[in-house]
Amino acid sequence: MALERTLILVKPDGVQRRLIGRIVSRIEDKGLQIVAMKMLQITPEMSRQHYAEHVSKPFYPELEGFITSGPVVALIIEGPEAVSVMRTLMGATNGRASAPGTIRGDYGASRQMNLIHGSDGVDSAKKEIAVYFKDSEIFATPLCITPWSWAPEEA
Ligand code: IDP
Ligand code: MG
């Protein structure tokens, strides 16, 4: 096991639907740590960097239009195995298939407007974090609750 960081976005639909607080609460309730957070509007260039693996796919133009359509909230989340923990919390890509109890399963019924992005691996997390954050915007301050959140050998 290892302490990991993952890049999370509350997508434009999550901001428009006033779900920022509920989505961030789920992450905090899970016991993961927010080490960076900001609101911004994604540019087409940032979208191409972020979604490099999808740029050549037929749905990319629609995806770029959606992700650049309004403000998003970007976060870096840290914790043991944070990448897979967040993917589980998010649920499957298509909101119609994602399990109840997950963010996508509870709040949406769309494949595209699925409220939240989370990195799919440690390497992609590193690349995505660099798209959104400078080192000076990341606050890796240990929290006083950390010793009660996971055992030292889990981090
Ligand atoms: P993920 O967000 O669960 O990792 P990906 O397959 O990486 O899913 O797709 C990136 C995003 O592109 C999805 O979250 C969704 O917003 C959008 N998307 C995925 N597949 C389709 C599609 O077939 N049509 C339209 N949009 C899609
Ligand atoms: Mg993905």
Side-chain angles (χ1 to χ4, degrees):
M1 262 170 279
L3 207 60
E4 294 175 356
R5 285 181 179 173
T6 184
L7 188 279
I8 300 299
L9 297 176
V10 180
K11 294 182 176 181
D13 53 332
V15 174
Q16 292 292 336
R17 292 179 51 202
R18 300 195 185 113
L19 290 170
I20 299 168
R22 273 174 277 179
I23 290 171
V24 172
S25 287
R26 286 189 179 214
I27 299 169
E28 291 195 308
D29 288 348
K30 185 65 182 168
L32 300 177
Q33 185 173 343
I34 298 168
V35 296
M37 182 168 170
K38 67 166 110 170
M39 186 178 255
L40 73 146
Q41 185 142 0
I42 296 177
T43 63
E45 190 190 341
M46 289 169 77
S47 173
R48 287 192 293 274
Q49 284 179 272
H50 177 120
Y51 283 126
E53 62 171 320
H54 297 310
V55 167
S56 57
K57 294 189 182 160
F59 66 80
Y60 180 75
E62 209 186 322
L63 175 59
E64 183 184 289
F66 163 56
I67 206 70
T68 61
S69 65
V72 301
V73 175
L75 306 97
I76 305 173
I77 298 300
E78 187 178 87
E81 300 182 270
V83 169
S84 64
V85 172
M86 278 305 310
R87 295 288 299 192
T88 302
L89 217 55
M90 286 160 52
T93 303
N94 185 337
R96 293 188 285 279
S98 38
T102 64
I103 293 166
R104 288 167 167 174
D106 283 353
Y107 294 122
S110 167
R111 181 177 59 184
Q112 184 184 78
M113 298 195 178
N114 56 6
L115 302 161
I116 181 167
H117 166 83
S119 310
D120 65 5
V122 174
D123 290 341
S124 49
K126 284 202 179 96
K127 285 187 203 139
E128 291 170 10
I129 285 169
V131 173
Y132 294 92
F133 292 98
K134 299 183 270 194
D135 284 349
S136 61
E137 295 171 322
I138 303 173
F139 299 90
T141 318
L143 300 183
C144 58
I145 200 172
T146 302
W148 297 101
S149 300
W150 48 77
E153 66 268 21
E154 293 178 272

